[in-house]
Amino acid sequence: MLNKKFLLIVLVAFGLAGCAADPMKPEGVDTGGEAAPGDGAEAIPGSGDGDINAMAISEEGQFGNYPGDPLSHRRIFFEYNSYSVEPAAQAVIEAHAQYLVGHPGTNITLEGHADERGTREYNLALGEKRAEAVAELMSALGVDRNRIVTTSYGEEKPLELGHNEAAWSKNRRVELIY
Amino acid sequence: MKKTTHMSLVKWLGGLGLLLFLTTAQAVLTIEINRGVDAGIAVAIVPFHGNAAAPQDLAAIVNADLTRSGRFDTLPKENFLSMPGANSVISYKDWRLLKAEAVAVGDVKALGGDRYQVDFKLYDVLRQTQLGGYRYTVSSAKLRRVAHKISDYIYEKLTGRKGAFDTRIAYVTARRLGKGKATYQLWVADSDAYNARNVLTSKEPIMSPAWSPDGRKLAYVSFEKKRSMIYVQNLSSGNRQLVARFRGLNSAPAWSPDGSQLAFSSSKDGNPEIYVMNLATKQPRRLTRHRSIDTEPAWSPDGRSLIFTSDRAGRPQIYKMSASGGSPRRLTFEGKYNARASYAPDGTKIVMVTQNDSGFHIATLDQRSGRFKVLTGTRLDESPSFAPNGDMILYATEKGGRGVMAAVSADGKVQQTLRVQSGDVREPSWSPFNRGL
């Protein structure tokens, strides 16, 4: 009897505006003392800053701003459901590790991401594992593990919004944030 | 349940405290029943006498509840031959002609001072007997809950199963604002998605709302400090506590059945592992030890064991272990990807997300027979949770490029989509039974 499509359109009024009490309001300030140099609070991952990023670190001068410099690559991409670093990414990681070894005052945040497939919580862990995998490599290359912060946004901050492999392959990544 | 419930003295969850957090917003909710049972129970809900004096149409709410469950064939009032109220003599013949199996009638009386008396009776048409009735005396704000209680009563009398209409759902919406910016909001609404109240608004992602067993608090993951941390928020006061901000991940909170402990996943020791924290001491106790991902813990209803997702065999699968530790045992072998499992309230089944060649679907695994059953045909299903009566499973899916809520009956026969008009809806979670009124 109920096989027919039944459509109920219903108005939901959420009610009056209220001045939200402060316990509700996220502060948006990291109290963990983990912010990377150069004001990490503004670094919104997935904001489309491009793979080639001529980021200036004032006291060190410019780096990573000429074509072919592995330091210009700030994203490491992964296969579906994998947290193994691909051989192709090795050179980029080595270059960054070398840079960090040569610049003991500079720290790095590795921010892991996943594509939208699968569960959000599993993807959050997957992003963390990806960041950890890059951290382990850097650490093996001589970077003090305490200078590397790993974090994950899982599938929450995609670089590309599409629902296809072209988008997914860009979203499975670790962002290297100085 | 008492015959008469007076709610005036009962502090309603969300009362004055939550009014502060309401947001100016309107949303259109669309409920689309994609599939129902072939022969629902034919039931007539007669418009309540005197209802015009009240701000809510009780019969309409009851009608919508029962229709939504997919188990009833709610008869259109245009065909009714008589319109009895709670004090009328029922002409059974009128209802037999319509093939109604049961008829519900009621009266609403405005008592003044924002108080209403609702009388309701349910009749069995075939046996020509009254099945029961209730009287509620409430303020206007609680009239919708009275209607849901009436739906629960009818559901239980006619199906033999406890109703879950007088319950709530929590969910997250995300609205992209361009250039990597977005607004994330955590909501709590009635089970029919009315009375949505904003619990938290953030510029950073919010995930994994989990109801405390008493229905008074939500644990959730918020990225407001630029990484995942677990908060517990009291829904009536709005007060919240940061309970897990360990190094690395803090995610997937799950309340123990007695409400004293929180299981969660953290990489505090270098790798995503399952921990259990006593909420009084906040001391985490590590349960898993494996180099793989261990996340998404859920408690068995008796609190003795936990199930969780692990990729220790190469791909995510569901494992079970004692809440006191020990070695996990793998539960799922069908499907190449099984994750985010949780128990049915009676513990007989677990529900999870499974991947097969056609995408990610909701599936159940019967604990005794071992039968694995895929319930949905949609492609990107996530975050399943059982209604507290175990009859329906609420989950998130994608439709037309947007995240929507959907529900499927535990047997897979009834499917429906619930759309809230603005933004992506995700991470729905069904509350425990409401207490009192």
Side-chain angles (χ1 to χ4, degrees):
Chain A
M1 283 322 232
L2 286 169
N3 279 335
K4 61 184 182 270
K5 279 216 164 176
F6 186 84
L7 211 69
L8 261 177
I9 298 184
V10 147
L11 262 178
V12 182
F14 286 153
L16 298 165
C19 25
D22 272 310
M24 304 296 297
K25 204 177 158 206
E27 297 108 67
V29 177
D30 195 330
T31 53
E34 298 166 349
D39 189 16
E42 269 305 298
I44 296 159
S47 57
D49 43 354
D51 282 10
I52 311 276
N53 184 351
M55 184 192 237
I57 294 185
S58 52
E59 74 277 18
E60 308 290 351
Q62 306 262 323
F63 76 102
N65 58 348
Y66 59 91
D69 181 350
L71 283 177
S72 68
H73 293 278
R74 301 292 170 79
R75 292 190 178 115
I76 310 291
F77 296 99
F78 288 78
E79 292 294 303
Y80 172 61
N81 224 350
S82 161
Y83 41 84
S84 306
V85 175
E86 298 298 307
Q90 203 82 22
V92 174
I93 294 170
E94 275 167 27
H96 283 278
Q98 215 166 41
Y99 178 84
L100 286 164
V101 168
H103 299 80
T106 304
N107 295 335
I108 192 165
T109 297
L110 303 174
E111 192 180 86
H113 297 264
D115 71 35
E116 64 177 353
R117 291 172 295 168
T119 69
R120 289 180 185 277
E121 283 290 359
Y122 187 81
N123 284 336
L124 193 58
L126 191 56
E128 181 74 18
K129 289 293 276 184
R130 285 173 177 160
E132 288 284 347
V134 177
E136 268 173 42
L137 271 177
M138 286 185 166
S139 163
L141 292 164
V143 183
D144 183 352
R145 189 62 184 78
N146 294 322
R147 293 169 55 203
I148 309 170
V149 172
T150 57
T151 182
S152 172
Y153 278 99
E155 64 178 274
E156 307 305 315
K157 298 210 169 182
L159 214 50
E160 298 281 334
L161 292 177
H163 303 292
N164 49 46
E165 179 54 29
W168 293 332
S169 63
K170 290 210 168 60
N171 294 335
R172 299 186 296 261
R173 69 199 193 276
V174 168
E175 306 250 351
L176 282 59
I177 302 165
Y178 282 96
Chain B
M1 208 187 277
K2 281 184 298 184
K3 197 90 178 154
T4 305
T5 310
H6 292 279
M7 298 192 300
S8 56
L9 299 175
V10 181
K11 209 178 167 196
W12 181 59
L13 260 185
L16 196 61
L18 260 176
L19 285 176
L20 293 172
F21 313 126
L22 293 175
T23 310
T24 308
Q26 285 211 329
V28 175
L29 172 78
T30 311
I31 296 163
E32 189 181 323
I33 296 185
N34 310 91
R35 187 142 56 97
V37 291
D38 291 334
I41 301 168
V43 59
I45 315 295
V46 182
F48 285 19
H49 284 193
N51 204 141
Q56 301 287 347
D57 182 343
L58 284 102
I61 298 166
V62 172
N63 216 75
D65 278 348
L66 298 178
T67 303
R68 206 157 25 87
S69 78
R71 283 161 202 268
F72 294 88
D73 189 4
T74 46
L75 304 178
K77 62 182 179 211
E78 292 72 27
N79 297 350
F80 295 174
L81 303 171
S82 51
M83 292 282 184
N87 297 313
S88 312
V89 174
I90 301 293
S91 167
Y92 288 107
K93 178 170 59 76
D94 292 352
W95 305 103
R96 268 202 310 275
L97 282 169
L98 298 176
K99 298 196 168 23
E101 293 168 58
V103 57
V105 299
D107 289 350
V108 183
K109 248 182 242 134
L111 302 177
D114 194 41
R115 300 199 51 79
Y116 296 87
Q117 179 181 300
V118 179
D119 286 289
F120 145 77
K121 283 173 186 166
L122 180 65
Y123 295 93
D124 182 326
V125 175
L126 305 177
R127 293 200 185 89
Q128 305 200 8
T129 53
Q130 187 185 321
L131 291 170
Y134 268 92
R135 169 175 291 177
Y136 303 88
T137 308
V138 297
S139 65
S140 59
K142 287 154 198 160
L143 282 169
R144 291 197 69 89
R145 276 199 67 192
V146 165
H148 294 315
K149 289 246 174 236
I150 291 170
S151 303
D152 283 345
Y153 185 84
I154 297 171
Y155 190 90
E156 184 163 359
K157 279 288 171 188
L158 302 184
T159 71
R161 310 243 335 151
K162 202 166 149 82
F165 301 106
D166 182 32
T167 55
R168 290 163 294 160
I169 55 176
Y171 55 92
V172 174
T173 57
R175 200 167 300 139
R176 292 192 188 280
L177 306 171
K179 258 296 172 204
K181 291 199 163 68
T183 300
Y184 300 88
Q185 293 187 292
L186 175 60
W187 302 89
V188 167
D190 294 348
S191 73
D192 59 356
Y194 272 82
N195 287 331
R197 300 185 296 277
N198 182 211
V199 174
L200 182 74
T201 296
S202 176
K203 283 189 265 185
E204 297 294 333
I206 302 168
M207 283 171 66
S208 306
W211 291 90
S212 64
D214 65 6
R216 290 173 188 205
K217 294 172 187 166
L218 280 180
Y220 54 81
V221 174
S222 170
F223 286 76
E224 66 200 55
K225 292 183 194 294
K226 305 284 179 185
R227 61 190 189 89
S228 56
M229 295 185 186
I230 300 171
Y231 296 77
V232 169
Q233 184 163 334
N234 183 303
L235 290 173
S236 53
S237 70
N239 289 338
R240 59 188 203 136
Q241 234 190 332
L242 179 49
V243 298
R245 51 166 180 182
F246 301 108
R247 192 189 81 84
L249 273 189
N250 297 280
S251 70
W255 298 82
S256 63
D258 68 1
S260 70
Q261 300 181 87
L262 209 59
F264 63 103
S265 177
S266 172
S267 59
K268 67 189 275 298
D269 299 321
N271 190 57
E273 305 279 2
I274 307 294
Y275 296 79
V276 169
M277 173 195 278
N278 183 311
L279 282 163
T281 64
K282 307 275 188 303
Q283 287 306 308
R285 179 165 55 88
R286 183 168 165 182
L287 284 192
T288 57
R289 282 170 203 285
H290 199 280
R291 280 185 54 80
S292 69
I293 292 171
D294 292 328
T295 185
E296 302 177 325
W299 297 79
S300 61
D302 65 7
R304 285 196 207 141
S305 51
L306 287 155
I307 49 175
F308 62 96
T309 309
S310 177
D311 71 331
R312 57 188 62 203
R315 289 171 180 276
Q317 293 292 346
I318 307 304
Y319 292 76
K320 181 179 183 175
M321 76 183 298
S322 162
S324 55
S327 51
R329 180 168 66 86
R330 182 169 165 180
L331 293 185
T332 51
F333 293 91
E334 270 181 73
K336 52 189 171 187
Y337 184 118
N338 291 300
R340 185 98 175 216
S342 58
Y343 276 92
D346 66 2
T348 56
K349 284 177 185 172
I350 60 172
V351 66
M352 73 200 86
V353 173
T354 191
Q355 184 189 17
N356 60 25
D357 292 338
S358 59
F360 293 87
H361 309 294
I362 306 303
T364 51
L365 176 68
D366 189 294
Q367 292 288 87
R368 268 169 294 192
S369 69
R371 184 167 177 229
F372 187 82
K373 188 174 176 186
V374 178
L375 301 178
T376 60
T378 31
R379 221 167 46 85
L380 278 170
D381 302 341
E382 285 190 46
S383 187
S385 72
F386 269 101
N389 66 353
D391 285 358
M392 296 290 284
I393 296 157
L394 183 67
Y395 63 98
T397 187
E398 188 237 30
K399 213 167 190 183
R402 279 185 42 207
V404 296
M405 275 188 283
V408 60
S409 60
D411 59 10
K413 285 182 181 159
V414 180
Q415 293 193 7
Q416 56 184 247
T417 310
L418 300 97
R419 290 188 228 211
V420 178
Q421 206 176 40
S422 45
D424 265 316
V425 185
R426 46 176 75 166
E427 303 280 278
S429 175
W430 211 315
S431 80
F433 286 117
N434 282 346
R435 294 183 182 189
L437 237 183

